[in-house]
Amino acid sequence: MTVFERVPQFVDEMRDIDRGQRIGAENDQPLARVEPQQGPARVQNRQRAFQALEIEFFDRLIHALFIGQCQADATEDEMTSGHAALVTRQFGARAEAYVESSVHAQGADLDQAAALLQGQSTARVLDLGCGGGHVSFRAAPLVAEVTAYDLSVDMLAAVARVAAERGFANIATQQGRAETLPFPDAHFDVVLSRYSAHHWHGFGQALAEARRVLRPGGRALFMDVVSPGLGLLDTYLQGIELIRDPSHVRDYSLAEWTDALAAAGFALKSVTARRLHLDFATWVARIATPQMQIDTIRALQTQMSEDVAAHFAIEADGSFTIDTAAIEVARDR
Ligand SMILES: C[S@@+](CC[C@H](N)C(=O)[O-])C[C@H]1O[C@@H](n2cnc3c(N)ncnc32)[C@H](O)[C@@H]1O
């Protein structure tokens, strides 16, 4: 069904909701989000009630028209024209660059993942959005089995090649989307995911899937770039990320991460915040950012206020430092 075919159904649905809420407002029954009050405050209440309705109307309209359509894309045309296709195009061609990337091949977060796996020699591990396979390579000597999972078959081919070169016979590769995992419930003892979630089209859906395939009592560690949260810094960060790589969806703030993990049914165990230095030339070369977009990022960097320049420690050659976090969660039941 196209966006336009959905409109009449949506309008009917909104009319029903609107009717129900207006009846409540006319009887001076407060709407759920409006405080019950007496006297002149009632009039204000009613205004606020209608404002709330308007906001809800537009929220729902946007959701029905755009987000609903994007979700349809993800299932119907995912590998041809949807976001998954864009991710695959961006990363497929750059698989070797991600295998070689020193930013990805090392880091204290990899040490933290390895520490989590200590004493788990019989564990089955999922590396979700494995990219060049650095988490899988770190996990393989410590556990029984690793499944390196990614959208990009080219990435997986590179992982399989390096695994064979290094003699890791316990790494299997599997292609697919984080949002729909082809594994049975409670299949894995540990789920690890690093620098991938900010590309996921369905962030909440993928987290729910990660919980589903984790056994009760199992642990998951999500490692990613995080937004500092503050509007100014957030807008700048998402801006440069998107200009660099159009498959970027969002670097979530820690608050967004912890809310989404809780909504997916995970129990929070720990959050480790870190800073990561990025060499500008290598950062853009890795994903083959076109020159015009490189110039745009450089122009933005020079135009931003001291607040932004200081937070991201922007250097003369464009290199900078971002916030990352490793969030450890458990599936309690
Ligand atoms: C930066 S790389 C990951 C790096 C890697 N985990 C590491 O630690 O070196 C991001 C990877 O996420 C994958 N990816 C993005 N969206 C995905 C999705 N929805 N499902 C599965 N994989 C996805 C991309 O194909 C890409 O290989």
Side-chain angles (χ1 to χ4, degrees):
M1 197 185 264
T2 68
V3 163
F4 298 105
E5 285 163 343
R6 262 206 285 269
V7 168
Q9 180 193 333
F10 165 75
V11 169
D12 278 351
E13 199 187 307
M14 272 314 295
R15 210 176 275 135
D16 288 346
I17 292 169
D18 186 47
R19 197 179 300 124
Q21 294 191 348
R22 275 176 203 280
I23 290 166
E26 274 161 18
N27 292 341
D28 281 327
Q29 299 294 319
L31 298 181
R33 66 183 95 178
V34 179
E35 296 294 319
Q37 284 167 343
Q38 297 299 317
R42 274 187 175 170
V43 177
Q44 216 185 344
N45 256 0
R46 197 176 293 186
Q47 283 167 353
R48 286 167 62 195
F50 286 109
Q51 270 168 11
L53 268 179
E54 261 171 48
I55 292 167
E56 181 158 344
F57 181 89
F58 286 109
D59 273 359
R60 290 179 62 90
L61 181 64
I62 286 165
H63 192 275
L65 295 187
F66 300 106
I67 299 174
Q69 181 63 29
C70 288
Q71 279 164 357
D73 287 344
T75 50
E76 289 160 18
D77 304 319
E78 62 193 49
M79 298 314 291
T80 51
S81 62
H83 181 73
L86 177 58
V87 171
T88 310
R89 255 199 324 275
Q90 285 294 102
F91 283 100
R94 310 299 305 156
E96 290 304 327
Y98 277 82
V99 171
E100 298 304 323
S101 164
S102 59
V103 167
H104 292 81
Q106 59 201 23
D109 55 349
L110 278 182
D111 299 339
Q112 187 178 344
L116 181 68
L117 299 175
Q118 288 301 330
Q120 301 216 50
S121 58
T122 59
R124 255 191 210 150
V125 174
L126 173 63
D127 179 6
L128 187 52
C130 65
H134 300 291
V135 171
S136 296
F137 304 145
R138 198 64 192 266
L142 303 170
V143 300
E145 285 174 41
V146 180
T147 300
Y149 184 83
D150 203 282
L151 262 178
S152 161
V153 286
D154 298 305
M155 281 288 187
L156 295 172
V159 172
R161 179 183 56 74
V162 177
E165 282 167 13
R166 298 190 190 175
F168 294 136
N170 61 345
I171 297 181
T173 58
Q174 184 146 354
Q175 191 272 339
R177 302 170 56 230
E179 292 85 347
T180 46
L181 297 178
F183 308 109
D185 294 357
H187 187 68
F188 294 100
D189 301 288
V190 180
V191 173
L192 302 171
S193 184
R194 182 167 177 256
Y195 297 141
S196 182
H198 62 269
H199 296 284
W200 298 345
H201 175 282
F203 180 54
Q205 192 184 334
L207 295 181
E209 276 290 89
R211 181 188 177 275
R212 181 185 65 76
V213 302
L214 186 63
R215 70 163 166 79
R219 293 285 170 119
L221 186 65
F222 295 96
M223 298 154 273
D224 208 348
V225 175
V226 288
S227 161
L230 207 65
L232 170 70
L233 304 176
D234 179 87
T235 300
Y236 168 79
L237 176 66
Q238 312 300 341
I240 59 161
E241 286 266 49
L242 188 67
I243 297 168
R244 169 193 181 239
D245 168 15
S247 77
H248 174 77
V249 172
R250 176 160 184 78
D251 294 328
Y252 297 95
S253 67
L254 274 179
E256 287 170 324
W257 262 106
T258 50
D259 284 355
L261 287 164
F266 282 113
L268 185 64
K269 293 296 168 192
S270 71
V271 176
T272 308
R274 298 189 170 91
R275 298 269 291 168
L276 178 69
H277 181 260
L278 292 169
D279 173 74
F280 185 82
T282 322
W283 182 62
V284 288
R286 191 156 53 242
I287 199 81
T289 307
Q291 189 58 46
M292 192 180 73
Q293 288 159 236
I294 295 176
D295 295 343
T296 305
I297 299 173
R298 293 294 286 128
L300 257 179
Q301 285 182 324
T302 57
Q303 288 165 25
M304 297 312 294
S305 68
E306 181 52 30
D307 299 323
V308 172
H311 182 85
F312 294 102
I314 301 171
E315 298 165 27
D317 69 350
S319 301
F320 59 98
T321 300
I322 46 170
D323 303 279
T324 68
I327 308 172
E328 187 181 335
V329 290
R331 175 175 176 176
D332 283 344
R333 59 202 151 72

